[in-house]
Amino acid sequence: MATITRVQPRVLVRASGGPRYAVALVVDALGTGLLRPFLLLYGVTVLRLSAPVTGTAMTVGIVTGLVCMPAVGRWLDRGARSTVVAASMLVRVLGVALLLAAPAGHVWLFATAALFLGIGNQAWPTAHAALVATVAHGRERDTALAGARALRNAALGVGALLATACLAGGTTALRAPAAVTALAYLAAAALAWSVHVHAHPAEAAPAKDRDDEPAPRMLALLAANVIYVFCLNVPEIALPLVLVTQLHASPVWPAAVFVANTVLVVTLQVPVTVLMSRFSRRTVLALSGVVLTASYLGFLAATSLGHGWSTPAIAMVSVVCTIGEIIYAGSATALVTALAPAHVMGRALARFQLSTGFGLAVSPAVITTLAPHGPAALWGSLAAATLLSAFAVATEKDQETRLSGSCNRERAGL
């Protein structure tokens, strides 16, 4: 099994789509960071909509974005790569433009804006993974995906900080980061399209190869992924809920946990992915489930320590949870790209994004429903479900070895 022992930045940038594409990722993430944390606030304060109406419109946008994923997968399987990435950015330009054009109290324009933003946000991860899978192969591909995630998280954090600074000018100042977001998406789309990455369309694959390499069903992996992605909402939803509303800790604690999570992902995503490359992707993904399970049990134990100790203990355990998240993020998409034959890569990644998006959509409701019933209900349920998911991933029939030895039929044109 090939492993990567060290990371060369130039090689990593080339494997991620090239310098222009790397710049496009940064610009796109900066724009997303400017708007995403304050989209709800924009609807409530700028457009003067009620919080339930604003939240419902945003949820509908996410769900509708998921409905579009099969079409995105088929488009990718016809050979498009950078075009789909650029389209996912352009559709968000339209969403932000509608957001800026919406007058106060106009819920339908806000809902339509949220719809286009949701479509772009759901389509982008699939299109990006397919592009990277076209220009990089083997473990270099895994590292490139990890590097892009670290880069994107860093830019998202910077964008969120800039948007926070804009709040000092009052709620109407939220229009400024929204306008900058539209320009950022437009610039990112132009840069992404300019790299001109294409792959052989599905029809170019010989019929015999298509018969020999059917699209993997990955049922256990997809079902497990719905549970795994709950970890992404732990620092944003579960821990603030527990720390502030149940332990009555200062809001500084969940903010510190979120910042630490971001810093750890940015600094450790690539090194941890490289370190784990000595093991099979399926083994690493199962291991991430075990680490996440241990962190959930750690949260459960920390809440029983009593006043004064529970809060710092939860903050410490959150580091373990972040490590589990990093291992998961570095292996999950990489495993899908290794399992899927080239001619169905788009559809396989689209199905994976469906499971990811569904898990992210339902996890806030599940977490907020379980939390009032006590720590055992919340953390015990998450631990049991995640451990079961890890077992399902580990025992699913592994096709990675067979497929990784097949001839790659994609061609990249940079």
Side-chain angles (χ1 to χ4, degrees):
M1 180 181 299
T3 59
I4 298 175
T5 56
R6 61 193 182 97
V7 179
Q8 297 179 342
R10 184 176 300 177
V11 174
L12 183 59
V13 170
R14 186 175 65 249
S16 300
R20 278 177 296 169
Y21 187 69
V23 174
L25 293 183
V26 172
V27 174
D28 176 77
L30 280 171
T32 302
L34 279 169
L35 182 63
R36 191 175 70 176
F38 302 104
L39 184 57
L40 178 66
L41 188 61
Y42 189 98
V44 173
T45 60
V46 177
L47 301 184
R48 303 188 185 283
L49 303 174
S50 68
V53 168
T54 305
T56 300
M58 293 172 62
T59 300
V60 170
I62 295 173
V63 172
T64 306
L66 291 175
V67 172
C68 295
M69 288 313 301
V72 173
R74 288 192 293 271
W75 189 8
L76 290 168
D77 286 338
R78 287 197 292 269
R81 290 294 186 268
S82 55
T83 303
V84 185
V85 175
S88 73
M89 296 169 175
L90 284 175
V91 75
R92 285 180 286 177
V93 173
L94 181 56
V96 179
L98 289 173
L99 199 65
L100 290 169
H106 203 296
V107 64
W108 289 110
L109 269 182
F110 178 80
T112 306
L115 167 63
F116 285 118
L117 289 170
I119 292 173
N121 289 335
Q122 295 299 329
W124 182 86
T126 298
H128 164 70
L131 186 147
V132 173
T134 303
V135 300
H137 310 287
R139 294 296 182 171
E140 189 178 73
R141 172 193 294 173
D142 300 9
T143 308
L145 290 169
R149 181 173 191 257
L151 187 67
R152 184 170 176 80
N153 274 40
L156 283 170
V158 172
L161 287 175
L162 291 174
T164 302
C166 289
L167 287 178
T171 56
T172 54
L174 283 173
R175 291 187 181 274
V180 174
T181 295
L183 295 175
Y185 285 155
L186 188 61
L191 286 167
W193 179 82
S194 71
V195 301
H196 298 303
V197 176
H198 304 278
H200 281 307
E203 291 78 12
K208 181 179 184 300
D209 287 344
R210 293 200 298 268
D211 292 339
D212 291 344
E213 295 182 345
R217 300 182 68 186
M218 305 182 297
L219 294 180
L221 174 60
L222 296 177
N225 187 56
V226 173
I227 304 299
Y228 270 87
V229 297
F230 274 56
C231 72
L232 302 180
N233 275 330
V234 165
E236 294 188 29
I237 296 175
L239 293 185
L241 186 65
V242 170
L243 288 170
V244 176
T245 66
Q246 296 182 359
L247 298 179
H248 307 291
S250 166
V252 171
W253 281 101
V257 167
F258 183 79
V259 170
N261 173 272
T262 302
V263 171
L264 288 173
V265 170
V266 171
T267 57
L268 296 182
Q269 185 66 70
V270 172
V272 169
T273 301
V274 170
L275 180 65
M276 293 289 105
S277 66
R278 66 191 66 193
F279 308 106
S280 75
R281 298 174 181 88
R282 187 175 293 278
T283 298
V284 174
L285 184 56
L287 174 64
S288 71
V290 174
V291 175
L292 289 171
T293 299
S295 72
Y296 297 152
L297 294 176
F299 288 133
L300 176 59
T303 56
S304 65
L305 293 179
H307 182 72
W309 292 99
S310 292
T311 298
I314 287 176
M316 292 178 63
V317 175
S318 70
V319 175
V320 180
C321 186
T322 300
I323 296 299
E325 173 193 334
I326 289 170
I327 299 173
Y328 156 71
S331 57
T333 303
L335 177 59
V336 175
T337 61
L339 288 172
H343 61 279
V344 293
M345 179 73 72
R347 277 167 284 179
L349 287 169
R351 288 199 297 269
F352 182 73
Q353 180 60 28
L354 275 171
S355 70
T356 299
F358 179 76
L360 289 174
V362 303
S363 56
V366 172
I367 290 171
T368 54
T369 299
L370 291 174
H373 296 284
L378 174 60
W379 302 118
S381 298
L382 288 179
T386 305
L387 188 60
L388 181 63
S389 298
F391 178 78
V393 168
T395 56
E396 187 177 34
K397 185 178 180 181
D398 196 354
Q399 303 174 18
E400 182 179 356
T401 302
R402 176 176 68 82
L403 292 174
S404 63
S406 64
C407 178
N408 192 298
R409 292 179 299 277
E410 294 178 328
R411 178 177 62 193
L414 290 176

